């Protein structure tokens, strides 16, 4: 497919939903891709944010590529010290991780930007807070002086539109309820539904690299 076609599809989804395409940012997920592939398939088209699932893989690529880096996968507390290397952490999923990040931010004299991951599909194998746990976590994090919550993130269950779209709709409703601008949702198989339901960040990997 490639990045130009993905952008066209995002724009078309925005048009269907009556949205401005400028409201949606594409985060290119580069897991398993070499710096050469990333330059050829992504960065030659512009300065798109790059997303990585694992801290160690991101750190290696940061040496070769100047870009805005996002961490889109689970962050272990023992890796929290690397958080300042990322422009945005998409996966704050517990109070204990928030406390670890607050300590890192305080030590570095930085305010770290984060999204809270919500497990709306209630899948036990996935990370993220449950919907009923979200109010308390947001309240606690908003008391921390070195974390800035910009929005919410979710990974829906694998399934048809009737399963996935309501998850995206619910995340947007929650973001609205708590006054949060960013909604990180949608990947290669479902990003058009996510955009139609209010995504501001879509995390796309495979569709960018498959010819």
């Amino acid at each position: 497919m490639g990045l130009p076609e993905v952008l066209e599809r995002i724009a078309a989804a925005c048009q269907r939903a009556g949205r401005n395409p400028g409201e949606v940012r594409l985060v290119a997920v580069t897991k398993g891709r070499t710096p050469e592939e990333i330059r050829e398939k992504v960065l030659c088209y512009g300065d798109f944010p790059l997303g990585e699932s694992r801290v160690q893989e991101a750190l290696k690529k940061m040496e070769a590529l100047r870009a805005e880096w996002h961490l889109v996968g689970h962050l272990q507390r023992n890796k929290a010290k690397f958080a300042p290397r990322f422009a945005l952490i998409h996966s704050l999923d517990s109070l204990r991780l928030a406390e670890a990040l607050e300590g890192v931010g305080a030590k570095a004299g930085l305010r770290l930007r984060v999204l809270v991951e919500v497990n709306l599909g209630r899948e036990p194998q996935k990370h993220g807070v449950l919907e009923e746990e979200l109010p308390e976590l947001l309240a606690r994090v908003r008391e921390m002086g070195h974390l800035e919550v910009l929005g919410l993130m979710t990974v829906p269950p694998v399934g048809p539109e009737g399963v996935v779209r309501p998850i995206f709709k619910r995340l947007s409703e929650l973001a609205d309820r708590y006054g949060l601008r960013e909604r990180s949702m949608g990947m290669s198989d479902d990003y058009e539904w996510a955009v139609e339901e209010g995504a501001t960040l879509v995390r796309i990997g495979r569709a960018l690299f498959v010819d």
Side-chain angles (χ1 to χ4, degrees), residues 146-161:
H146 297 88
L147 293 184
E148 181 179 6
V149 181
L150 300 184
L152 305 176
M153 183 270 260
T154 198
V155 180
V158 174
E161 182 176 359

Side-chain angles (χ1 to χ4, degrees), residues 113-171:
R113 302 162 80 227
V114 301
L115 307 177
V116 174
E117 181 174 0
V118 189
N119 184 353
L120 290 173
R122 310 183 79 88
E123 295 178 273
Q125 75 276 19
K126 287 184 178 174
H127 297 284
V129 298
L130 299 178
E131 181 177 335
E132 61 269 24
E133 298 169 335
L134 181 60
E136 181 179 358
L137 180 61
L138 282 175
R140 296 289 296 275
V141 174
R142 282 170 162 169
E143 294 173 349
M144 298 179 182
H146 297 88
L147 293 184
E148 181 179 6
V149 181
L150 300 184
L152 305 176
M153 183 270 260
T154 198
V155 180
V158 174
E161 182 176 359
V163 171
V164 175
R165 187 185 284 270
I167 297 289
F168 294 151
K169 182 178 182 180
R170 185 58 180 157
L171 194 80

Side-chain angles (χ1 to χ4, degrees), residues 101-116:
L101 289 171
E102 171 67 10
V104 170
K107 186 174 181 180
L110 297 171
R111 201 152 183 242
L112 303 176
R113 302 162 80 227
V114 301
L115 307 177
V116 174

Side-chain angles (χ1 to χ4, degrees), residues 31-106:
K31 177 182 177 181
R33 306 295 175 176
T34 65
E36 291 72 25
E37 287 179 287
I38 297 165
R39 290 190 190 99
E40 177 186 349
K41 300 289 188 176
V42 177
L43 297 179
C44 68
Y45 296 107
D47 295 326
F48 293 91
L50 304 181
E52 274 294 338
S53 298
R54 295 183 176 87
V55 169
Q56 293 306 124
E57 186 171 352
L59 293 176
K60 291 177 183 177
K61 291 175 184 173
M62 286 175 184
E63 297 175 5
L65 299 169
R66 291 178 60 87
E68 176 183 315
W69 288 92
H70 293 200
L71 185 69
V72 299
H74 175 62
L75 176 60
Q76 297 172 308
R77 291 195 309 280
N78 64 358
K79 299 282 178 57
K81 63 185 177 182
F82 297 111
R85 303 289 299 275
F86 296 91
L88 183 62
I89 305 292
H90 288 234
S91 50
L92 174 60
D93 60 5
S94 70
L95 179 58
R96 293 180 71 189
L97 178 57
E99 291 169 342
L101 289 171
E102 171 67 10
V104 170

